[in-house]
Amino acid sequence: MQHNETELRNAYERDGYLVLERFRSKADCATLRERMTQIIRTAANDHATSIFEADPKNHTCDDYFLGSGDKIHFFFEKDAFDASGNLRINREKEMLLNKAGHALHALDPIFKAFSHHASQVALVHALGLKNPQLLQSMYIFKQPGIGGEVPPHQDATFLYTEPSTVMGLWFALEDAGKDNGCLWAIPGGHKEPLKSKYVHKQTGAMAFETYDATPWDVSRMLPLEVPEGSLVVLNGLLPHMSYANRSDKTRHAYSIHLIDGQAHYPESNWLKRSHTCVNFI
Ligand code: FE2
């Protein structure tokens, strides 16, 4: 790795995140963007049957979402539709998508190769994961004009282990700035406890268990503006968010989440471990 591993680990432990500018090449980013376009067009009759809402008050929990852990499913932006469910905007379908997930890293060879890049494997080991397991992947579109806000949250709300080991690797496939909805995070906020968990109840229903209903102090969030190819590593307990994209530019990103296989992964997680939960090597 180019960076000093001790310095990286110290910064990650202090801040709860790392920003590694231009970690991947522009060519690698273009390959992933083009591949996603191909996947969408190939699956033209088989996608976007659900809207994705990140807000916990209305978080998507339909069967299409819950069945996406070991598949490549597509989710629309909420603002693509009016109150009657009709399309509000005359655009290609691929310009109305919110995200695709959650097993690109296992099912598609190009996403698999990008995800398992040797530099990333070395990095997550350097940051302390002993037996890294790659659980999920998402392609996030953050469309011009309609790319919705993702409210402040901790990723460990949605993927939790005991103790908490979740780590997100978020790749900017395009420049991400305040205008098109870059990430924001609270430096050091990962030292605060987990505020809620998204749990699969024994009844079969999904629900949020809330331990602390105090809202995050958004004034402590710093923007993480990064150029294309940059990698942002996020501790699963780090509070972060992104605002809506009201610009005329896309803000594509690819994100993968890992856990340490040495930690306990409760059955109540929405994402069931399957053949698409793979060793990160
Ligand atoms: Fe997140």
Side-chain angles (χ1 to χ4, degrees):
M1 270 189 308
Q2 303 161 312
H3 303 80
N4 177 305
E5 289 188 2
T6 306
E7 281 173 21
L8 287 180
R9 184 160 178 168
N10 289 344
Y12 181 68
E13 288 178 356
R14 182 190 65 227
D15 298 333
Y17 67 88
L18 282 179
V19 175
L20 301 170
E21 292 203 354
R22 298 183 176 86
F23 190 82
R24 300 296 298 265
S25 69
K26 286 191 169 206
D28 286 350
C29 295
T31 299
L32 228 53
R33 294 196 308 267
E34 285 158 17
R35 180 62 183 153
M36 178 46 66
T37 301
Q38 279 178 350
I39 294 173
I40 293 168
R41 290 180 184 169
T42 305
N45 299 318
D46 183 35
H47 72 76
T49 62
S50 186
I51 292 172
F52 185 74
E53 291 197 56
D55 190 327
K57 292 192 287 295
N58 301 305
H59 194 275
T60 302
C61 64
D62 58 20
D63 289 346
Y64 188 72
F65 174 81
L66 295 176
S68 66
D70 58 357
K71 299 188 182 63
I72 301 172
H73 281 182
F74 293 85
F75 301 88
F76 275 129
E77 275 295 343
K78 174 171 67 74
D79 285 353
F81 299 90
D82 63 22
S84 312
N86 299 313
L87 274 179
R88 245 180 7 99
I89 311 173
N90 184 19
R91 273 190 197 172
E92 292 287 326
K93 270 192 176 175
E94 62 204 61
M95 291 297 289
L96 300 170
L97 291 169
N98 170 290
K99 70 174 183 177
H102 290 88
L104 289 154
H105 64 279
L107 302 180
D108 182 79
I110 290 172
F111 277 88
K112 188 174 183 176
F114 185 101
S115 304
H116 289 264
H117 196 276
S119 61
Q120 286 136 218
V121 176
L123 178 66
V124 303
H125 278 103
L127 295 180
L129 292 190
K130 301 263 187 314
N131 176 19
Q133 305 275 305
L134 176 44
L135 248 74
Q136 73 163 24
S137 46
M138 288 184 277
Y139 192 101
I140 305 156
F141 296 90
K142 203 79 163 176
Q143 303 286 2
I146 57 169
E149 175 176 323
V150 178
H153 67 281
Q154 297 161 296
D155 287 347
T157 290
F158 301 97
L159 282 180
Y160 40 85
T161 62
E162 296 163 358
S164 182
T165 59
V166 174
M167 181 186 288
L169 304 188
W170 185 98
F171 299 90
L173 300 181
E174 299 179 300
D175 294 347
K178 283 190 271 190
D179 58 338
N180 64 345
C182 67
L183 290 177
W184 293 64
I186 298 178
H190 63 301
K191 292 174 183 159
E192 297 174 38
L194 186 62
K195 280 186 185 279
S196 67
K197 261 191 216 169
Y198 188 55
V199 295
H200 204 162
K201 297 286 194 188
Q202 285 181 339
T203 59
M206 296 302 305
F208 284 92
E209 277 182 0
T210 301
Y211 315 114
D212 176 0
T214 321
W216 294 106
D217 180 0
V218 174
S219 69
R220 292 165 59 206
M221 294 266 181
L222 293 184
L224 308 180
E225 295 188 285
V226 291
E228 178 181 354
S230 300
L231 166 60
V232 182
V233 186
L234 299 160
N235 182 302
L237 292 173
L238 184 78
H240 62 284
M241 66 174 293
S242 63
Y243 289 101
N245 180 6
R246 298 299 179 219
S247 79
D248 58 3
K249 298 183 291 189
T250 50
R251 195 231 62 190
H252 288 198
Y254 178 57
S255 121
I256 58 178
H257 283 92
L258 301 118
I259 59 165
D260 197 322
Q262 294 187 347
H264 173 56
Y265 186 75
E267 283 291 309
S268 54
N269 273 285
W270 81 266
L271 183 64
K272 303 305 168 204
R273 293 181 77 165
S274 70
H275 64 288
T276 60
C277 172
V278 292
N279 288 327
F280 198 54
I281 49 175

